[in-house]
Amino acid sequence: NCIVAEIELHNEYFVLSEGIWRKADDDFCRAVTDFIDNVLQEYPVPARYHNINISDMGRKQNREEVFNAKYCELNENAFLFDQAKLRIGQSRKDKEFCDILEYKDEAPADIIHVKKYSGSSFLNYLSSQARFYCEMFLSDEVFLKEIRTYIDTSEHPKKNDFLNYIKEQQADVTGKDYAVKLWILYDKTKPAPSKAGLPLMAKYEIKITYDRLRNVHKYREISLSMIPVGIVNFKTRKRP
């Protein structure tokens, strides 16, 4: 039932796709590994945000949105965008921009995207989502207006600080005023994942995101963080 998988054997990578194992190009692997080891910055998140229990007892699931809400509750400089329903262009009103926007009276503001550590596909989605929304933020006037309106109609005590920082005119919104942070939540009872230990294709997706946002759109920085959280092991009883 496996659709996509990858293994490392004798310092070589092999990827399973559509039932066929293929060896990853050595130069490709070296370029991705060099980027992860020597370019991508990994930063710790303050300990006060560690070990947040992310269980949703009603749904019997561990969910990023629980962490995001608690983080914003603990941090007055953080604005919650998770679960926001925003529009890009003429599309449906179902976009989020990011999970958390953080601003501390100094540049840059942090655009934060959060995902649980649960395999390559979820990490790929984390990178591609950050890339897409950050590109739209710099180019789509409808999206920018939706973001500002969402902030303006909130009851956040520092909403005026956010509105003063996020320029009203699209031409004045530039990547250099923002840093993009990719946060990975992991079970606090298990060893912390390392950026070097991430799946090859997840590393590649992070590299693509970095190249687009940092080198093309000139965002101030793109970084990675691993955050321990409380996980509940929800077990489903089998019917007799």
Side-chain angles (χ1 to χ4, degrees):
N1 295 325
C2 184
I3 298 175
V4 177
E6 63 181 62
I7 60 171
E8 182 181 2
L9 181 65
H10 305 311
N11 295 319
E12 295 181 326
Y13 282 91
F14 297 85
V15 178
L16 174 64
S17 179
E18 297 182 351
I20 300 174
W21 283 102
R22 295 180 174 88
K23 180 181 177 298
D25 180 78
D26 290 339
D27 290 339
F28 167 80
C29 293
R30 279 193 292 270
V32 172
T33 299
D34 180 71
F35 162 76
I36 293 294
D37 292 345
N38 302 313
V39 178
L40 180 66
Q41 295 296 313
E42 182 178 356
Y43 296 123
V45 169
R48 68 185 299 232
Y49 306 118
H50 291 188
N51 305 324
I52 292 173
N53 188 313
I54 67 167
S55 60
D56 183 325
M57 302 307 292
R59 297 184 181 183
K60 296 189 181 303
Q61 296 175 336
N62 296 289
R63 302 180 64 86
E64 298 98 354
E65 64 196 58
V66 179
F67 172 87
N68 297 334
K70 186 63 176 179
Y71 182 91
C72 292
E73 180 183 322
L74 295 172
N75 185 347
E76 64 178 4
N77 298 306
F79 190 99
L80 184 66
F81 269 97
D82 188 12
Q83 308 296 307
K85 303 299 180 184
L86 311 176
R87 179 180 287 113
I88 293 176
Q90 300 304 310
S91 67
R92 292 183 301 174
K93 200 176 180 72
D94 59 358
K95 310 301 185 293
E96 287 185 355
F97 174 42
C98 61
D99 290 306
I100 300 166
L101 181 66
E102 187 169 347
Y103 175 60
K104 301 182 288 291
D105 299 322
E106 58 187 25
D110 296 329
I111 299 173
I112 303 170
H113 292 266
V114 184
K115 278 286 178 288
K116 288 185 304 177
Y117 185 78
S118 54
S120 182
S121 61
F122 288 89
L123 298 179
N124 292 350
Y125 184 71
L126 171 66
S127 299
S128 61
Q129 175 181 267
R131 185 166 70 245
F132 174 73
Y133 287 140
C134 286
E135 288 184 331
M136 292 298 100
F137 176 52
L138 299 185
S139 61
D140 191 276
E141 293 182 358
V142 173
F143 195 35
L144 175 60
K145 183 177 180 180
E146 290 270 300
I147 291 168
R148 287 180 51 84
T149 299
Y150 190 78
I151 295 172
D152 191 33
T153 55
S154 76
E155 297 181 357
H156 196 288
K158 292 192 173 184
K159 68 179 183 181
N160 288 333
D161 292 341
F162 285 96
L163 290 171
N164 289 334
Y165 190 82
I166 301 174
K167 304 298 190 293
E168 187 172 1
Q169 299 301 316
Q170 187 71 71
D172 297 326
V173 179
T174 59
K176 68 180 179 60
D177 292 332
Y178 299 87
V180 180
K181 296 187 175 183
L182 306 178
W183 285 2
I184 298 174
L185 310 180
Y186 69 93
D187 187 343
K188 68 178 182 178
T189 66
K190 298 179 180 179
S194 66
K195 63 177 183 176
L198 296 177
L200 176 64
M201 298 313 295
K203 294 177 184 178
Y204 177 57
E205 281 291 337
I206 295 174
K207 185 178 186 302
I208 292 175
T209 296
Y210 183 98
D211 289 343
R212 289 290 301 175
L213 298 186
R214 180 74 182 97
N215 299 335
V216 177
H217 297 293
K218 308 303 180 185
Y219 276 88
R220 180 74 64 90
E221 187 176 43
I222 291 83
S223 64
L224 185 69
S225 296
M226 310 290 187
I227 307 172
V229 295
I231 297 284
V232 171
N233 184 17
F234 293 105
K235 294 183 178 180
T236 302
R237 291 183 178 180
K238 293 183 178 180
R239 293 182 179 179

